[in-house]
Amino acid sequence: IRGHTTIDDDLMEEIEELLISADVGVHATMTIIDRLQNRIKIDKIKDPSLVEGLLKAEIAALMGEGSYELDLSAVKPYVIMVVGVNGVGKTTTIGKIAARLKQEGKHVILAAGDTFRAAAIDQLEIWADRAGAQIVRSQPEADPAAVAFDAVDAALARNADVVLIDTAGRLHTKVNLMKELEKIKRVVQKRLPAAPHEILLVLDATTGQNAIQQAKLFNQVVDISGLVLTKLDGTAKGGIVIAIKDELNIPVKLIGVGEQVEDIQDFDPHDFVEALFA
Amino acid sequence: DLSNKLESVFKQLRGQGKLTEKNIKDGLRDVRRALLESDVNYKVAKDFIKRVEERAVGEEVLRSLKPGEYVVRYVHEELINLLGGKFQDIQVAPQPPTIVMVCGLQGSGKTTLCGKFARYFRKKGKHPFLIAGDIYRPAAIHQLQVIGKQLDIPVFSIEGEKDAVTICRKGLAEAKRLGHDFVIIDTAGRLQIDEAMMAEVERIKHEIQPTEIVFVADAMIGQEAVNVAKAFHDRLAFDSVALTKMDGDARGGAALSIRAVTGKPIKYIGVGEKMDALEPFNPEGMASRILG
Ligand SMILES: Nc1nc2c(ncn2[C@@H]2O[C@H](COP(=O)(O)OP(=O)(O)OP(=O)(O)O)[C@@H](O)[C@H]2O)c(=O)[nH]1
Ligand SMILES: Nc1nc2c(ncn2[C@@H]2O[C@H](COP(=O)(O)OP(=O)(O)OP(=O)(O)O)[C@@H](O)[C@H]2O)c(=O)[nH]1
Ligand SMILES: [Mg+2]
Ligand SMILES: [Mg+2]
């Protein structure tokens, strides 16, 4: 979009291609372009070299503040539940968050809430070990709500700072699995009425428009407080979070940028927008 | 519903004999939107629409048929053709064992698919053998071992071995020694831009000479499917594609994108987390799903 001498339909079509190719989706792209064209009209803008800046500013403003505000002084234990469809990076993200908190001197407990998938508990145990966190686990096939309950219970007994609850991957279309998620939340609330204090929906940056459905349905069932966008170290731009912010106003809090324990960062809307246009 | 949407666009066509260029352009705008909403790649959708446009202009619109329905059916048939005609199965090696290697991005469903293939081909009379080639992901080997145990299918791994090629080579030798005729190699998830990891999977291919390399893609993958598939195809010349998590509601436009850019057939789809959740790919079902 940089080589244009006038603001014309061609320029708008290039912007459309850029945004759709970044998985922003048709609807959100049209909304963004409408707003941009309005802006151009109202401010009587003639110089095409200004368009990119306007576009970036508009998208960054939409994405909002977004930094991960974890106020651990106010609440103890702070309970974070991590949810999402299969294979997006929930377990790995929990390991990364745990390590970061441990480095800040926090006492962290992990709840092995995926009692279904082969070696899921073992996978989380390795991450607990890497992060220096404690793990509360049961047997495969155990009730995940019971594991979550036990973890919160243990956190209260041991005066831990944070509980991170891992859950099994589940497609948002599976009613019984979504009901199970609701139950995990309810049972945690029983032990600690304000918990979970944070419910993070993990989204894979390579995901297309289905991410919007994922966000909608998970949000209906358990009130999502923030998104984690993983695998941004790949070539996908993760534009779906723009559509989700626009439609559901759920902010991105963290991003995953690799498979190692340190590969997690706070979401920065300006960095995100720059990468979109890189 | 796309048919109904196009119907209103084509209302004025009733009674006219042929579809004009303008009629087609208007109708196809809605089709293009449907494709993009299904995650078909922007450029792939553009090319597809252009081809349909060229062929549809001048077509006879049957007087009894609604033009909107006609265009949709035309597009539907084009999609089915592109997605691949008759079902093609995994190739069988002229001399046993048949060796199947899976590859793909992180979390796409490879390890689960390996278990599903093992169960499926045993039902067809093969004697499968699994090789745990993911030495990176925490508990990846253990995951395949648990699956193998559930299915009562042997899993080969070498504790502490840091070279995936060595594991695959020794695993293949062991499979042959024990008389297995169907070997399935699980590999680590990797980014197509990770040079070291792409070199690793190239080395495994070179060393093992698989009968079939299956590129595994998540049905919910978006626009990037083209870049990812193209890179894996350039490096590995994979033979076929498996699309996983098709039991969700992702429309799966990536199927069209991947097929368009690599020319390789989709042979199987994953339709659940359990080991029996594997089905042969059905292009007609996929076309309807993509059109929404
Ligand atoms: N490149 C990259 N890979 C990631 C990232 N986050 C997770 N992964 C990889 O994605 C794969 C899946 O990660 P998991 O943490 O097992 O995902 P999950 O959501 O817990 O999966 P299920 O529990 O099976 O639903 C693993 O190979 C991870 O190493 C990331 O930010 N970048
Ligand atoms: N619903 C559903 N889930 C699936 C399907 N295939 C795999 N999964 C789930 O997707 C998640 C990831 O599957 P894996 O087999 O671990 O994926 P992978 O490609 O081996 O992951 P990496 O080795 O980390 O790259 C797991 O939770 C699986 O149970 C499928 O067809 N349907
Ligand atoms: Mg997990
Ligand atoms: Mg795997």
Side-chain angles (χ1 to χ4, degrees), chain B residues 123-184:
Chain B
K123 276 194 131 201
K124 287 189 158 186
K126 300 293 183 198
H127 298 95
F129 185 88
L130 290 161
I131 297 178
D134 181 352
I135 49 173
Y136 308 97
R137 169 174 155 154
I141 296 173
H142 193 167
Q143 183 184 4
L144 196 63
Q145 287 171 332
V146 170
I147 288 172
K149 193 143 178 282
Q150 283 172 0
L151 297 173
D152 191 23
I153 288 175
V155 175
F156 180 89
S157 64
I158 303 176
E159 175 143 12
E161 175 55 67
K162 293 286 180 243
D163 181 38
V165 184
T166 303
I167 295 171
C168 293
R169 185 177 58 246
K170 292 189 175 177
L172 180 59
E174 182 69 354
K176 285 177 176 170
R177 186 182 78 80
L178 295 171
H180 291 274
D181 59 1
F182 203 89
V183 177
I184 302 160

Side-chain angles (χ1 to χ4, degrees), chain A residues 90-91 114 117 123 166-167:
Chain A
K90 300 176 293 299
T91 305
D114 181 352
R117 206 209 69 211
Q123 183 186 6
D166 193 14
T167 62

Side-chain angles (χ1 to χ4, degrees), chain A:
Chain A
I1 59 175
R2 288 183 188 138
H4 288 253
T5 50
T6 56
I7 297 178
D8 56 9
D9 285 347
D10 274 352
L11 176 57
M12 290 304 142
E13 193 174 318
E14 303 235 352
I15 293 174
E16 177 193 78
E17 178 168 357
L18 187 146
L19 293 177
I20 290 181
S21 301
D23 288 314
V24 175
V26 176
H27 180 81
T29 295
M30 284 169 51
T31 306
I32 289 170
I33 291 181
D34 279 347
R35 288 189 198 137
L36 176 70
Q37 288 182 314
N38 240 5
R39 178 99 269 193
I40 288 171
K41 209 194 231 151
I42 291 173
D43 294 359
K44 297 196 171 51
I45 297 179
K46 296 281 179 271
D47 179 3
S49 69
L50 296 176
V51 173
E52 184 178 343
L54 285 177
L55 196 50
K56 284 181 178 176
E58 186 193 335
I59 298 174
L62 169 62
M63 295 316 291
E65 294 316 306
S67 74
Y68 195 33
E69 301 300 340
L70 233 198
D71 186 6
L72 298 187
S73 54
V75 178
K76 189 169 178 169
Y78 193 88
V79 179
I80 302 170
M81 192 167 146
V82 178
V83 304
V85 302
N86 308 70
V88 295
K90 300 176 293 299
T91 305
T92 304
T93 297
I94 286 172
K96 294 169 181 176
I97 296 175
R100 189 197 246 204
L101 291 172
K102 198 72 178 63
Q103 281 184 356
E104 295 171 9
K106 304 298 177 201
H107 175 179
V108 183
I109 291 183
L110 306 186
D114 181 352
T115 56
F116 169 77
R117 206 209 69 211
I121 299 172
D122 308 273
Q123 183 186 6
L124 189 67
E125 277 195 312
I126 293 172
W127 277 109
D129 200 66
R130 281 182 186 179
Q134 294 178 344
I135 186 166
V136 167
R137 52 160 297 174
S138 177
Q139 298 305 324
E141 318 258 300
D143 177 6
V147 179
F149 183 97
D150 288 349
V152 175
D153 199 57
L156 286 161
R158 301 174 205 173
N159 206 22
D161 296 299
V162 185
V163 179
L164 285 151
I165 303 173
D166 193 14
T167 62
R170 70 202 64 222
L171 295 182
H172 49 289
T173 47
K174 313 231 157 149
V175 178
N176 56 329
L177 296 183
M178 296 306 275
K179 278 203 155 42
E180 177 186 80
L181 209 57
E182 214 169 17
K183 180 182 174 201
I184 297 173
K185 176 180 179 179
R186 246 189 358 260
V187 165
V188 165
Q189 274 173 339
K190 275 213 179 92
R191 188 62 191 88
L192 191 59
H197 305 90
E198 183 96 68
I199 301 184
L200 297 175
L201 173 66
V202 181
L203 296 174
D204 184 328
T206 66
T207 308
Q209 298 311 296
N210 194 249
I212 301 175
Q213 260 320 87
Q214 293 174 26
K216 280 194 177 133
L217 293 195
F218 273 92
N219 194 40
Q220 270 175 24
V221 167
V222 286
D223 271 325
I224 302 297
S225 56
L227 304 176
V228 179
L229 187 61
T230 61
K231 308 181 196 174
L232 273 177
D233 46 318
T235 52
K237 307 278 186 176
I240 37 138
V241 297
I242 298 173
I244 292 171
K245 184 70 168 58
D246 193 42
E247 277 186 55
L248 303 173
N249 200 24
I250 302 174
V252 182
K253 297 205 167 180
L254 296 165
I255 60 172
V257 292
E259 301 188 72
Q260 307 309 323
V261 71
E262 64 271 11
D263 294 331
I264 188 159
Q265 297 170 6
D266 286 352
F267 178 70
D268 182 314
H270 295 285
D271 289 350
F272 177 75
V273 169
E274 284 302 322
L276 209 61
F277 289 82

Side-chain angles (χ1 to χ4, degrees), chain B residues 245-264:
Chain B
K245 307 177 204 171
M246 283 283 286
D247 44 319
D249 60 358
R251 293 203 353 213
L256 183 63
S257 304
I258 294 171
R259 172 75 167 165
V261 83
T262 66
K264 292 295 160 70

Side-chain angles (χ1 to χ4, degrees), chain B residues 22-73:
Chain B
K22 171 122 188 9
N23 303 147
I24 299 286
K25 264 192 163 47
D26 291 344
L28 291 185
R29 229 196 320 269
D30 275 329
V31 174
R32 192 186 81 115
R33 178 165 184 159
L35 295 179
L36 292 177
E37 287 174 344
S38 283
D39 293 321
V40 174
N41 178 268
Y42 190 92
K43 290 200 171 75
V44 171
K46 206 171 188 182
D47 290 341
F48 177 83
I49 294 296
K50 198 149 157 281
R51 265 203 315 281
V52 172
E53 226 170 326
E54 289 166 356
R55 289 201 199 142
V57 171
E59 284 286 336
E60 291 297 337
V61 177
L62 306 175
R63 225 147 291 162
S64 56
L65 200 66
K66 299 175 182 169
E69 253 178 54
Y70 178 86
V71 173
V72 173
R73 205 182 59 175

